[in-house]
Amino acid sequence: MNIHTPIFSDLPATDQRSLSTLIVSLSETNQLRFIGNFDDRELEDFMEPLRYYPFGIRGEFWENDIMALRQNYDRCYKVEFKMRPWAILHYPDEYRNLGWHVMSMVCNLFYKMESQGWKVNCSGDVSSIYYRNSSSSSSSSYSIDTHSWFLSKIK
């Protein structure tokens, strides 16, 4: 072997595969967005566990005018829930069991994404907006924008 011969030159060539990315953003106290390169069949699978939310979905629709989407082929699908699944701890006691439904919904969503080949790379709190209730005697404050999950898939 010559000193200028690439180390892996004797390995067979492989097909190039593409990498798709997806962000699942849980925002405000009642919204979820799928942002990325996903197809309609995947979206239907993702939506299945969300539609079991006990209080229902107020609306679901495509968002087109998002700055990050203007220069690429990604899409954004937004879901607005009735009630506030991301603020369960701030409900009266009679709604506390709703937390189990939300946890189940999120676990089933992860299962659906995983079964489609999506892998979670990381999650992060991507904002610092907080709700502060100054009229209440209790110090109830909580994050309005919660976590986003960053996923990838090799196709």
Side-chain angles (χ1 to χ4, degrees):
M1 184 184 231
N2 184 324
I3 194 162
H4 297 291
T5 304
I7 297 171
F8 301 110
S9 63
D10 57 340
L11 295 176
T14 61
D15 294 332
Q16 288 188 352
R17 298 176 1 179
S18 64
L19 178 70
S20 295
T21 57
L22 173 66
I23 299 170
V24 178
S25 178
L26 289 70
S27 57
E28 301 294 328
T29 57
N30 68 332
Q31 299 173 6
L32 183 143
R33 286 182 179 86
F34 297 105
I35 305 168
N37 188 355
F38 54 91
D39 61 36
D40 292 339
R41 182 181 50 80
E42 289 174 318
L43 178 61
E44 271 309 305
D45 277 355
F46 299 162
M47 288 302 299
E48 184 182 344
L50 303 183
R51 291 187 177 123
Y52 284 107
Y53 180 61
F55 292 102
I57 292 175
R58 176 174 292 130
E60 48 184 278
F61 50 90
W62 293 100
E63 284 192 328
N64 297 319
D65 193 27
I66 295 178
M67 184 73 73
L69 303 179
R70 293 182 185 165
Q71 301 300 319
N72 61 36
Y73 297 106
D74 287 353
R75 313 184 308 163
C76 177
Y77 195 76
K78 182 178 179 180
V79 179
E80 289 184 3
F81 295 95
K82 295 177 185 174
M83 298 285 283
R84 303 176 318 196
W86 319 140
I88 295 302
L89 296 177
H90 304 284
Y91 281 151
D93 288 339
E94 61 266 18
Y95 290 104
R96 293 293 166 111
N97 284 337
L98 182 59
W100 293 108
H101 292 284
V102 173
M103 189 182 338
S104 175
M105 177 178 71
V106 170
C107 288
N108 285 318
L109 173 59
F110 272 122
Y111 173 78
K112 290 291 188 176
M113 292 186 296
E114 185 84 12
S115 67
Q116 291 289 338
W118 292 97
K119 303 292 181 199
V120 177
N121 300 114
C122 66
S123 70
D125 188 352
V126 294
S127 87
S128 59
I129 299 172
Y130 272 70
Y131 169 79
R132 292 189 191 346
N133 187 353
S134 58
S135 64
S136 172
S137 60
S138 67
S139 60
S140 61
S141 64
Y142 53 88
S143 176
I144 297 290
D145 285 5
T146 56
H147 277 72
S148 291
W149 308 316
F150 300 86
L151 301 95
S152 61
K153 176 180 181 176
I154 297 176
K155 293 184 178 180

